[in-house]
Amino acid sequence: TVNGSISVGDEVEVTGSLDSTNGSLSVGARSTVARSLETVNGAVSCGASTISDGISTVNGGIKLDGTQVGGSLSSTNGSMRLTGGARVAGDIVIQGKNRPGASKKRLEIRIAEDSVVTGNITVRDPNRRVTVVLAGGAVEGEITNAEVVHETPS
């Protein structure tokens, strides 16, 4: 869709990708998306579902609660939150250059509640302000160009 959000309920099988230009994407629990989730101006949120490929957004955050992602996560101007044992098989990449205004907004990548990123976390521009918060979660790969904070889970 071009101007609209896409919402997939619980226990639904999507045989392709979900794409939106100006809208958010949400996937309910126990659902499966056979390909990727992509939006330009919108957030992405997923319950305990399976996304076979990656998830990307330019101007929006990504929230995964128990979601299994077979590919990578990518954003330019959005924070990310992985909870409930979410698992990302690929990398997390923060795209884009530090443009005017972007330096004021610190992005946060929070990995909590036994969630795991098996790949790397890479911030492409070393001048971007990004914090990776590990609060009971883990990154198996390397973290590049981001501040790392370890929090004790509550």
Side-chain angles (χ1 to χ4, degrees), residues 2 7 28 30 44 54 82 86 108 129 136 153:
V2 175
S7 181
R30 299 172 309 283
V44 176
L82 282 63
E108 180 179 276
R129 295 175 55 205

Side-chain angles (χ1 to χ4, degrees), residues 43-127:
V44 176
S45 65
C46 299
S49 52
T50 301
I51 312 301
S52 295
D53 288 340
I55 299 173
S56 68
T57 179
V58 176
N59 297 310
I62 297 174
K63 292 182 182 179
L64 306 179
D65 185 14
T67 313
Q68 305 300 303
V69 179
S72 296
L73 305 182
S74 173
S75 183
T76 301
N77 298 309
S79 291
M80 300 182 191
R81 182 177 188 91
L82 282 63
T83 58
R87 185 169 188 89
V88 176
D91 299 328
I92 292 179
V93 179
I94 301 298
Q95 305 281 356
K97 294 194 184 249
N98 193 18
R99 59 176 174 57
S103 63
K104 294 180 180 128
K105 180 182 177 190
R106 177 176 289 278
L107 300 181
E108 180 179 276
I109 300 170
R110 177 172 289 272
I111 304 168
E113 301 171 6
D114 297 320
S115 297
V116 175
V117 176
T118 60
N120 301 318
I121 295 179
T122 303
V123 179
R124 293 268 168 93
D125 182 347
N127 295 315

Side-chain angles (χ1 to χ4, degrees), residues 12-25:
V12 174
E13 182 176 339
V14 178
T15 59
S17 296
L18 299 178
D19 300 296
S20 179
T21 302
N22 295 307
S24 62
L25 304 175

